[in-house]
């Protein structure tokens, strides 16, 4: 069976529109802020969103396979960081919401591992993987437990942050399982994620977070603890 063919016209339109909107004066400061090896066009978030709305509305992707292939081609072939932001936007476009299920997790895993930076990974974790988890916890929970123990720190970060925004639908046992393997890890992006996940859940169940922090006071880094308790008195 041949591999699905991406919609090259959509990809070309995204790249052309981003190139025409480029602002060289902003490009280098944006690259420096993000510590990115990949250059920027200098198109800020509202401009990227506008281009995505226009281009995506003009192209209807026939099926899941074409959508997946188009996202991957736009992402893998990106020469500028905004092209990858557009690929993430395409994954979340309303026309393809029916494909937000566990079968899409390999795509999000690919974006996570190859993106390997917080601006990509946090969007994937909270806005893509999180809703899939809430819709299908029985199937997705084992995946996140595996990612939480993976050698790749960005898979771990996705597992830790996937329940951001879940509020009362948060599974505390899953949260604890995803935090545990990284509690004593030295990486900043894991320590920050741990604190962020706890801080967000504290808005829903502050007593649980207080108990958790007290029980793990010798394992939590000062950064994680400070973030976790930021809004608690």
């Amino acid at each position: 069976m041949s591999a699905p063919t991406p919609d090259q016209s959509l990809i070309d339109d995204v790249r052309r529109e981003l190139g025409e909107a480029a602002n060289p004066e902003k490009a280098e400061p944006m690259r420096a802020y993000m510590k990115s090896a990949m250059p920027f066009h200098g198109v800020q978030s509202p401009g990227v969103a506008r281009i995505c709305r226009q281009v995506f509305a003009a192209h209807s992707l026939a099926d899941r396979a074409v959508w997946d292939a188009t996202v991957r081609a736009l992402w893998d072939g990106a020469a500028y960081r905004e092209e990858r932001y557009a690929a993430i936007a395409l994954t979340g476009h309303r026309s393809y919401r029916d494909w937000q299920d566990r079968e899409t997790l390999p795509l999000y895993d690919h974006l996570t591992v190859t993106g390997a930076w917080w601006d990509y990974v946090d969007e994937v974790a909270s806005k893509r993987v999180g809703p899939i988890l809430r819709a299908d916890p029985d199937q997705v929970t084992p995946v996140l437990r595996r990612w939480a123990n993976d050698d790749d720190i960005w898979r771990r970060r996705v597992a830790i942050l996937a329940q951001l925004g879940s509020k009362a639908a948060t599974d505390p046992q899953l949260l604890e399982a995803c935090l545990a393997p990284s509690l004593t890890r030295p990486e900043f992006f894991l320590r920050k994620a741990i604190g962020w996940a706890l801080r967000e859940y504290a808005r829903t169940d502050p007593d649980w977070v207080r108990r958790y922090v007290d029980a793990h006071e010798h394992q939590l880094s000062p950064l994680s603890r400070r973030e976790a308790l930021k809004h608690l008195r």
Side-chain angles (χ1 to χ4, degrees):
M1 183 180 296
S2 61
T5 301
D7 187 327
Q8 191 60 47
S9 62
L10 181 152
I11 295 170
D12 291 344
D13 285 355
V14 166
R15 290 178 176 157
R16 185 189 67 253
E17 292 292 335
L18 287 171
E20 291 177 356
N23 184 338
E25 292 183 358
K26 293 185 181 295
E28 179 55 26
M30 291 171 70
R31 188 204 65 77
Y33 171 76
M34 200 55 65
K35 300 179 181 178
S36 174
M38 184 179 290
F40 277 81
H41 275 301
V43 183
Q44 295 180 303
S45 295
V48 174
R50 175 184 55 79
I51 288 168
C52 288
R53 285 194 300 271
Q54 293 173 351
V55 173
F56 298 166
H59 297 267
S60 180
L61 302 178
D63 54 36
R64 181 198 288 265
V66 172
W67 170 71
D68 185 289
T70 303
V71 171
R72 289 175 186 266
L74 179 56
W75 176 273
D76 291 341
Y80 294 89
R81 205 167 187 92
E82 291 95 338
E83 295 173 25
R84 286 193 159 182
Y85 296 154
I88 293 176
L90 182 57
T91 66
H93 193 268
R94 63 181 180 274
S95 296
Y96 314 115
R97 60 168 59 113
D98 288 346
W99 303 332
Q100 297 297 325
D101 55 37
R102 64 182 183 274
E103 293 182 31
T104 309
L105 291 180
L107 172 61
Y108 295 142
D109 184 52
H110 176 71
L111 303 187
T112 295
V113 173
T114 59
W117 202 241
W118 66 267
D119 56 332
Y120 303 139
V121 169
D122 294 0
E123 181 84 1
V124 168
S126 62
K127 300 294 180 60
R128 303 294 184 267
V129 176
I132 296 172
L133 168 67
R134 291 190 287 274
D136 193 1
D138 290 344
Q139 295 296 322
V140 180
T141 292
V143 176
L144 293 185
R145 286 176 177 267
R146 289 197 301 272
W147 288 0
N149 287 276
D150 197 88
D151 290 339
D152 188 286
I153 70 165
W154 301 103
R155 283 192 179 116
R156 287 182 178 232
R157 187 169 168 105
V158 169
I160 292 168
L161 297 180
Q163 295 197 82
L164 289 180
S166 291
K167 299 180 181 179
T170 298
D171 177 350
Q173 290 184 325
L174 175 60
L175 177 59
E176 189 164 5
C178 290
L179 296 177
S182 297
L183 285 180
T184 59
R185 291 286 293 253
E187 292 90 350
F188 169 83
F189 287 108
L190 292 179
R191 292 181 170 189
K192 186 75 169 181
I194 290 166
W196 186 9
L198 290 169
R199 185 179 77 230
E200 284 301 302
Y201 190 45
R203 299 176 188 275
T204 298
D205 194 340
D207 290 338
W208 187 96
V209 173
R210 288 191 184 95
R211 290 194 301 271
Y212 183 90
V213 170
D214 287 345
H216 298 85
E217 62 177 334
H218 298 303
Q219 294 172 293
L220 286 166
S221 70
L223 171 61
S224 297
R225 180 183 176 87
R226 184 169 61 251
E227 288 292 317
L229 300 177
K230 192 170 186 177
H231 301 302
L232 296 179
R233 296 291 185 268

